[in-house]
Amino acid sequence: MDELDAHLTEAARTFGTPSYVYLTDAIDQRLAEIRAALGPWFALSYAMKCNPNPGLLNWLADRVDFLDVSSIGELRLARQAGWDPARASFTGPGKRDTEIAEAIESGIGELIVENLREAIVANRIAGDAGRAQDVLIRLAPSHVPKGFGDHMAGRPSPFGIDIEDAPDQLPEILALPHLTVVGLHIYSGTQCLKPEAICENYRIFMSVFRDICEAHDITPQKLVFGSGLGIPYHAGDTPLDLTAVADGIRAELQAFCAEPRFAGTRLILELGRYLIGEAGYFLTSVVGIKESRGQRIVICDGGMNNHLPASGHFGMVIHRNYRMHRVGGGTGEQKVNLVGPLCTSIDRLANAVALPPLAEGDVVAVHCSGAYGLTASPIHFISHAHPREVLIEGQSLTDISRDGSMKLPPAP
Ligand SMILES: Cc1ncc(COP(=O)(O)O)c(C=O)c1O
């Protein structure tokens, strides 16, 4: 058994299934790769929407520079996990006034203003508190290159200020007396595996940043490049070549940073899945097997309720199986449908996936599950026990489950 499977076996034996396992060595390795390829230009901001587990957040606090939260709930979790709000930014197109107020009172580093309304509200709240609030203005470019799994710009979208509206709206924001515009923010596309598309997107960012800063005479302290770096979820996906991204954009980034206006600017890569996704596995055990009209259906203890994206209902148009394996290996292959415990036919983890023959009690590990796994799943549906979460640091396993996960009684 290889080292990974030894860890997964121990986690399943100690904490049971369904469970999520996060390997810190894999995150450390990914961090090193990112710093080596893009570190000369970029600081890193972890978008905690992809995995808000407090144990993981706490582990990350000394390892990444900044944090991006997208709700006041996330900010509270981050604070509980030891993050100083001054290192956090707050994105999201639907911030309520009460959230803006709490973020400002908490000392949030920057509010990412996505529209004029938010800016006006933040200005009033900051003014009432007798302070100035740092903000970044989120912009929505008019174009996103082909190759991104989801687009937040380049078409009608709720995210940020469309660049064609910037000439009207930015002067109004810049004139608000209790806001200090310290920079700009773009996050326009996600889950991209093509280096050339990512480079092209960064070129668009630089061009927008240049034009807007020049037009409104902004000398930014920070510019956020929403990364869009993708991970290989499915068999046949080619992992992103980060060195190719760096090689493709190095000269232009260097030239950009050398421009007098940007000489003192901190460029920030805001990312989630690329950092955490491949370091996480979802473990689910076989509860029963049914031969049904020529198909072998393997029923597991955790399915769509624990891992919505693997079931194909989180932004996937056509369901493609996540990469997965039988923990402990095995010889031979059999095509099976892997389903969860819910009373709905959409609770499918995999269709016709080839795995070694499975039997009751076997554990299947679903790969690429560190990001948008548990946090993106309808865990209350049908009131099954919530999955546990386990952090593996070297040889040590820690239960980092959030409140609400319940241990099932031991098997009789
Ligand atoms: C504003 C913003 N920042 C960061 C992210 C993180 O994206 P990813 O996990 O793909 O890196 C997202 C994802 O949707 C986002 O909307």
Side-chain angles (χ1 to χ4, degrees):
M1 190 183 294
D2 67 14
E3 200 185 342
L4 170 65
D5 267 7
H7 284 316
L8 299 180
T9 303
E10 194 186 345
R13 193 174 40 76
T14 312
F15 301 105
T17 61
S19 52
Y20 278 89
V21 172
Y22 313 118
L23 292 117
T24 60
D25 286 354
I27 307 174
D28 264 334
Q29 192 185 328
R30 184 46 61 88
L31 272 168
E33 287 161 9
I34 300 171
R35 299 253 191 231
L38 299 171
W41 306 289
F42 290 107
L44 297 183
S45 178
Y46 174 57
M48 70 174 277
K49 62 168 70 71
C50 84
N51 190 330
N53 179 284
L56 191 61
L57 279 178
N58 178 269
W59 183 85
L60 282 168
D62 297 334
R63 292 172 172 86
V64 290
D65 309 288
F66 303 108
L67 186 73
D68 182 61
V69 308
S70 290
S71 71
I72 212 63
E74 286 195 348
L75 182 61
R76 288 179 192 167
L77 276 173
R79 294 180 73 185
Q80 284 160 18
W83 277 83
D84 178 354
R87 288 169 66 202
S89 58
F90 184 6
T91 54
K95 299 181 197 75
R96 281 164 283 177
D97 295 12
T98 50
E99 290 187 289
I100 294 174
E102 186 173 328
I104 291 176
E105 275 156 27
S106 307
I108 190 100
E110 297 95 22
L111 203 65
I112 313 294
V113 296
E114 306 240 1
N115 50 58
L116 193 53
R117 186 201 72 83
E118 277 181 9
I120 291 167
V121 171
N123 179 63
R124 175 176 43 77
I125 292 166
D128 290 348
R131 62 170 87 169
Q133 175 61 47
D134 285 352
V135 301
L136 303 180
I137 301 174
R138 181 169 179 181
L139 298 164
S142 54
H143 177 63
V144 181
K146 278 207 180 95
F148 287 80
D150 192 11
H151 292 190
M152 284 84 170
R155 58 188 180 198
S157 98
F159 310 108
I161 294 174
D162 297 340
I163 49 162
E164 41 299 11
D165 296 328
D168 289 338
Q169 298 191 8
L170 260 60
E172 289 195 53
I173 297 174
L174 287 158
L176 294 168
H178 305 294
L179 300 187
T180 309
V181 176
V182 295
L184 304 171
H185 175 287
I186 302 180
Y187 190 97
S188 61
T190 187
Q191 179 49 21
C192 181
L193 293 172
K194 297 198 169 102
E196 63 284 6
I198 290 166
C199 290
E200 180 55 25
N201 211 26
Y202 290 176
R203 269 178 216 117
I204 294 173
F205 292 8
M206 286 187 275
S207 155
V208 168
F209 290 148
R210 250 189 216 110
D211 291 351
I212 296 285
C213 287
E214 174 136 11
H216 301 278
D217 197 19
I218 298 169
T219 303
Q221 292 169 29
K222 289 186 177 176
L223 291 173
V224 174
F225 287 55
S227 83
L229 308 179
I231 58 174
Y233 287 103
H234 314 291
D237 282 354
T238 307
L240 177 65
D241 181 349
L242 204 59
T243 311
V245 174
D247 290 347
I249 202 70
R250 176 175 295 111
E252 286 145 286
L253 275 173
Q254 237 139 8
F256 184 82
C257 293
E259 290 174 29
R261 188 182 291 279
F262 304 119
T265 305
R266 203 139 187 222
L267 307 189
I268 297 167
L269 213 56
E270 184 174 288
L271 79 176
R273 79 184 73 216
Y274 191 71
L275 197 55
I276 302 295
E278 287 173 88
Y281 294 83
F282 173 61
L283 303 181
T284 185
S285 296
V286 177
V287 175
I289 295 173
K290 179 180 176 186
E291 298 292 346
S292 179
R293 302 187 172 123
Q295 292 193 4
R296 191 167 170 81
I297 299 177
V298 174
I299 305 165
C300 298
D301 59 5
M304 178 184 107
N305 53 329
N306 299 155
H307 201 329
L308 186 73
S311 75
H313 300 291
F314 190 68
M316 225 187 274
V317 182
I318 299 166
H319 181 234
R320 292 172 71 200
N321 297 336
Y322 269 42
R323 289 186 291 121
M324 56 185 68
H325 75 278
R326 176 185 178 278
V327 175
T331 47
E333 274 193 349
Q334 210 171 30
K335 283 211 167 158
V336 295
N337 295 336
L338 216 62
V339 305
L342 306 186
C343 314
T344 163
S345 59
I346 62 172
D347 183 13
R348 277 175 174 249
L349 284 175
N351 295 316
V353 62
L355 291 171
L358 291 169
E360 271 179 44
D362 284 353
V363 177
V364 174
V366 180
H367 299 202
C368 285
S369 296
Y372 308 104
L374 187 53
T375 191
S377 301
I379 50 172
H380 297 297
F381 187 38
I382 314 211
S383 301
H384 286 280
H386 297 182
R388 303 194 77 72
E389 293 180 275
V390 181
L391 198 68
I392 302 189
E393 295 178 80
Q395 300 304 316
S396 114
L397 276 68
T398 313
D399 183 354
I400 55 165
S401 307
R402 286 176 66 171
D403 293 347
S405 70
M406 18 175 182
K407 279 193 174 118
L408 285 176

